[in-house]
Amino acid sequence: MSPLLLTHLVAALIALPLGAFQLFRPTKGDPQHVLLGRVWAGLMLWVALSSYAIREIRHGEFSLLHILSTVTVVTVTLGVVNARRGDITAHKANMRGSWLGLLGAFIGAVAVPDRAIPTFVMTRPVDAVVAVLVLAGITFLLIRLGALVTEHVHAPKSPSRIH
């Protein structure tokens, strides 16, 4: 597997659960959400942009998946712009749509037996389990680090003591 395909795959497999965490967590707009959203947007843009150099499905030609990549670049970018402008309704729609596109691409990637993920799982099942555990651990660490890095922003200030 080429380094490009490997980084594309790792970024996508971290962005999938990280995006789910962002979408389904009850608190939105707090510093952790903003920080993890930036990480997620960066991962998504890497996945989309790197896909233009991955043309194995149609032997060197672009495929229908590259349309999804273009849509992803546009929707993630609009999602960030809309958040910065304060248009949270549009931001939610852009990010939700981008994550659903990633979910659809993942389903397509695992549904086709000749693709990298199913081949890896079938030929190296122990390594596949280790890879899933490592990716889950990285995602968990990102979420925890996001909480730790941003917790001081909302920490209550200690009352001043009068002597």
Side-chain angles (χ1 to χ4, degrees), residues 86-148:
D87 188 349
I88 301 307
T89 301
H91 168 73
K92 285 180 183 180
N94 291 133
M95 296 315 196
R96 187 177 299 123
S98 297
W99 184 79
L100 288 171
L102 177 63
L103 179 61
F106 172 75
I107 292 168
V110 298
V112 179
D114 293 347
R115 305 280 309 272
I117 294 174
T119 300
F120 180 64
V121 170
M122 296 306 291
T123 60
R124 299 170 61 186
V126 173
D127 291 342
V129 169
V130 170
V132 166
L133 292 174
V134 167
L135 290 167
I138 290 170
T139 304
F140 176 78
L141 282 174
L142 280 172
I143 292 167
R144 289 301 309 140
L145 283 172
L148 290 172

Side-chain angles (χ1 to χ4, degrees), residues 37-162:
R38 289 175 179 165
V39 171
W40 182 80
L43 290 168
M44 289 295 288
L45 290 172
W46 173 252
V47 170
L49 294 172
S50 65
S51 76
Y52 294 114
I54 301 169
R55 301 183 192 174
E56 297 171 359
I57 294 174
R58 295 191 62 221
H59 308 290
E61 301 291 322
F62 286 115
S63 70
L64 292 176
L65 286 175
H66 292 100
I67 295 171
L68 178 60
S69 296
T70 303
V71 170
T72 299
V73 169
V74 171
T75 57
V76 169
T77 302
L78 284 175
V80 171
V81 168
N82 286 323
R84 293 182 66 84
R85 288 182 178 162
D87 188 349
I88 301 307
T89 301
H91 168 73
K92 285 180 183 180
N94 291 133
M95 296 315 196
R96 187 177 299 123
S98 297
W99 184 79
L100 288 171
L102 177 63
L103 179 61
F106 172 75
I107 292 168
V110 298
V112 179
D114 293 347
R115 305 280 309 272
I117 294 174
T119 300
F120 180 64
V121 170
M122 296 306 291
T123 60
R124 299 170 61 186
V126 173
D127 291 342
V129 169
V130 170
V132 166
L133 292 174
V134 167
L135 290 167
I138 290 170
T139 304
F140 176 78
L141 282 174
L142 280 172
I143 292 167
R144 289 301 309 140
L145 283 172
L148 290 172
V149 166
T150 59
E151 76 181 5
H152 73 281
V153 176
H154 280 240
K157 296 183 181 191
S158 59
S160 60
R161 295 185 176 203
I162 301 174

Side-chain angles (χ1 to χ4, degrees), residues 17-28:
L18 184 60
F21 174 78
Q22 287 287 82
L23 286 173
F24 298 112
R25 69 190 290 252
T27 304
K28 306 276 195 300

